[in-house]
Amino acid sequence: MRLLSTDASAQAAGPVTEASTRFDPFDPAYVLDPYPALAQLRESEGVFFSPAIGSWIVTRFDTVKAILRDTHRYSALIACDPLTPLCPHARGIIAASDFDVPPLLVNNDPPSHSRYRAFFGAPLKRERLAALQPFIEQTVEDHVTRMAAGPSPADLVAALTWDVPALVLFRLLGVPAEDVAKVKHWASSRVMMTWGRPSEAEQVKLAGEAVEYYRYAMALVQRKSQAPSDDYLSDLVRLRDGDDGKATLHEIGAIAFNLLFAGHETTSSASANLFKAILPRRALWEAICRGEQPIAPVVEEGLRLDPPVQAWRRQAKEAVELDGVQVPAGARLLLVFAAANRDPVQFPEPDNFVPGRRNVMQHVAFGTGAHFCLGAPLARLEVAAMVASVARHLPGLTLVPGQDYPYTPNTSFRALRQLMVAW
Ligand code: HEM
């Protein structure tokens, strides 16, 4: 993670257009519901420069998909750079520490990316996921029955969707379950530090937390190397077999650092966003509860309609033309998956929740191409297990009317922090 390399002045800027002045991903109205604004922008200017975040915004499905699939002209190296360059004090904290996360997967390019993807992807195989399934179902079941036995109304995020993906990921990685709260906190800090607009005082705090979180991941992998067990990180240690040419322990630590974020924050949001979408659609919810509506297409349509990763970054390696707009070499691109997934050219009646829509699997919630999410099968399993268990135990569940929907203001993650439900 190149925490120190972002330099706003080095960005390849573009003209200020009508869309540039309208687009503000930190506007509270946009944070609450970005979709009306994105529909207008996608319609009027598919590609435009945003001076507010020093990036070119890309909103149409075909263009987003073409960029994701073209690793020759577009680099992923900037994917995890802080959007808001860190202040000198925060930079000093990182620079004075041992923090060092090399680009491996999500923020790396071929050929290095391809080599690491083969190594780190291999143990995430079907059998390991299949072995996790009973644990997923039991963990979900425990949380839902505990919630059902407690008072109504309750917060579905606190009771279910916040912890379960972390507990599953921890089982996969071989991390003690009692560390959930700590790691969840670090993951939220990382969202703010990388994709948010923290004040200088906040940046200083976040930089300190990033160092702590990094050290936690590195220490975890050291322990695995001394006493490998039956988990993904131990699989990597065994595959490495002491050969730094395959991967160093430091690189395995960096993967742990990344997965301790990517492997749960996204799935927590996917499940909370999905419950928010389906509970008010009573005919659909009742069909799910009666077992008449298969759950897998519901999960997929939820990912399309309200993707947890709303936007992701690439950088143009050369000057390109996108939707008739000239974009200079070096331009930072914000690919807005939330807009692409509702492009009516690709998905008719895009604002409607239509489980089983013919081409739903085309959505880009997990990206597409070389960097397609390695955890997609696991995430799908988890979200489906949560829907199935809630439908079984709490068929009368409804959203509490008139509630606020708190989302963390940032460009990339639609992370609902509370969802009040009653039964
Ligand atoms: C609903 C939940 C999830 C969503 C929406 C999601 C979304 C994404 C997206 C958008 C990317 C980047 C694609 C690109 O750059 O083109 C990605 C990459 C990745 N995700 Fe996920 N993810 C989810 C869950 C998970 C889980 C559970 C894991 C791990 C267990 C995981 C591991 C990864 C990894 C390792 C990459 C990097 C792949 C590469 O660059 O080759 N994700 N994910």
Side-chain angles (χ1 to χ4, degrees):
M1 209 161 89
R2 305 182 310 169
L3 286 180
L4 304 178
S5 63
T6 302
D7 178 0
S9 63
Q11 288 153 8
V16 174
T17 64
E18 218 254 305
S20 318
T21 51
R22 267 193 291 138
F23 177 71
D24 179 1
F26 296 98
D27 175 0
Y30 182 99
V31 172
L32 183 63
D33 181 7
Y35 297 105
L38 288 174
Q40 279 180 2
L41 294 165
R42 188 183 51 230
E43 177 72 27
S44 62
E45 294 180 55
V47 173
F48 59 90
F49 181 69
S50 164
I53 60 168
S55 302
W56 294 74
I57 313 303
V58 183
T59 57
R60 293 181 187 156
F61 179 85
D62 284 342
T63 320
V64 166
K65 189 169 173 180
I67 294 170
L68 287 172
R69 288 181 166 265
D70 185 347
T71 54
H72 294 289
R73 288 195 294 175
Y74 303 98
S75 165
L77 288 176
I78 63 162
C80 301
D81 288 3
L83 189 80
T84 306
L86 297 181
C87 67
H89 188 174
R91 291 165 76 98
I93 290 171
I94 304 278
S97 77
D98 48 345
F99 187 98
D100 172 20
V101 180
L104 297 171
L105 290 178
V106 80
N107 57 343
N108 199 7
D109 288 335
S112 161
H113 168 263
S114 325
R115 182 174 78 75
Y116 284 121
R117 185 163 166 117
F119 180 80
F120 290 116
L124 278 177
K125 49 190 181 284
R126 227 174 264 283
E127 301 85 76
R128 191 153 277 301
L129 294 191
L132 262 182
Q133 184 137 14
F135 177 79
I136 296 174
E137 281 168 7
Q138 192 56 55
T139 307
V140 168
E141 200 70 0
D142 291 348
H143 279 71
V144 173
T145 48
R146 197 177 315 133
M147 174 173 149
S152 165
D155 174 9
L156 189 64
V157 172
L160 178 69
T161 62
W162 185 251
D163 280 2
V164 166
L167 287 166
V168 171
L169 184 84
F170 281 23
R171 172 57 74 101
L172 176 71
L173 264 50
V175 178
E178 55 273 20
D179 290 352
V180 163
K182 192 160 64 179
V183 173
K184 275 293 201 186
H185 175 77
W186 285 329
S188 303
S189 300
R190 186 162 169 194
V191 170
M192 267 313 269
M193 178 158 162
T194 312
W195 295 278
R197 197 181 263 170
S199 67
E200 294 203 353
E202 284 166 336
Q203 288 174 30
V204 169
K205 182 168 172 285
L206 295 171
E209 290 176 356
V211 174
E212 268 178 54
Y213 169 21
Y214 168 80
R215 288 181 180 154
Y216 175 88
M218 290 294 157
L220 174 67
V221 169
Q222 279 303 334
R223 288 204 302 277
K224 297 288 169 196
S225 74
Q226 282 146 15
S229 174
D230 182 19
D231 55 63
Y232 169 72
L233 293 175
S234 301
D235 285 352
L236 293 177
V237 168
R238 276 189 288 268
L239 271 179
R240 170 182 176 263
D241 196 20
D243 179 356
D244 283 353
K246 292 183 187 166
T248 62
L249 276 185
H250 177 236
E251 287 166 343
I252 298 177
I255 277 296
F257 176 82
N258 281 331
L259 284 181
L260 283 171
F261 167 73
H264 59 89
E265 181 71 20
T266 45
T267 314
S268 286
S269 304
S271 40
N273 294 351
L274 182 63
F275 281 111
K276 178 170 176 259
I278 58 181
L279 289 177
R281 294 173 162 91
R282 291 318 284 180
L284 170 66
W285 177 245
E286 283 158 18
I288 295 171
C289 295
R290 288 195 303 271
E292 291 165 5
Q293 168 60 58
I295 292 175
V298 171
V299 172
E300 228 48 52
E301 178 68 345
L303 286 163
R304 181 196 68 80
L305 192 79
D306 203 9
V309 179
Q310 293 263 296
W312 207 239
R313 278 177 288 169
R314 290 288 191 270
Q315 187 164 29
K317 294 189 200 173
E318 57 189 65
V320 287
E321 185 181 312
L322 295 173
D323 289 336
V325 176
Q326 300 302 322
V327 174
R332 290 159 185 273
L333 309 174
L334 186 73
L335 313 180
V336 189
F337 298 171
N341 274 357
R342 292 200 190 197
D343 187 336
V345 175
Q346 180 68 15
F347 303 106
E349 303 189 358
D351 299 329
N352 291 350
F353 195 106
V354 185
R357 72 165 64 234
R358 185 183 51 76
N359 61 349
V360 69
M361 297 305 280
Q362 298 285 313
H363 70 69
V364 286
F366 292 115
T368 181
H371 291 274
F372 182 80
C373 175
L374 277 172
L378 176 61
R380 287 176 168 135
L381 268 181
E382 291 181 56
V383 179
M386 287 189 249
V387 173
S389 179
V390 173
R392 248 190 332 271
H393 294 285
L394 293 165
L397 201 71
T398 54
L399 295 184
V400 170
Q403 64 181 296
D404 291 334
Y405 294 108
Y407 292 98
T408 307
N410 75 98
T411 53
S412 293
F413 291 89
R414 188 151 167 84
L416 194 50
R417 292 296 176 222
Q418 179 179 290
L419 186 65
M420 295 306 295
V421 288
W423 60 92

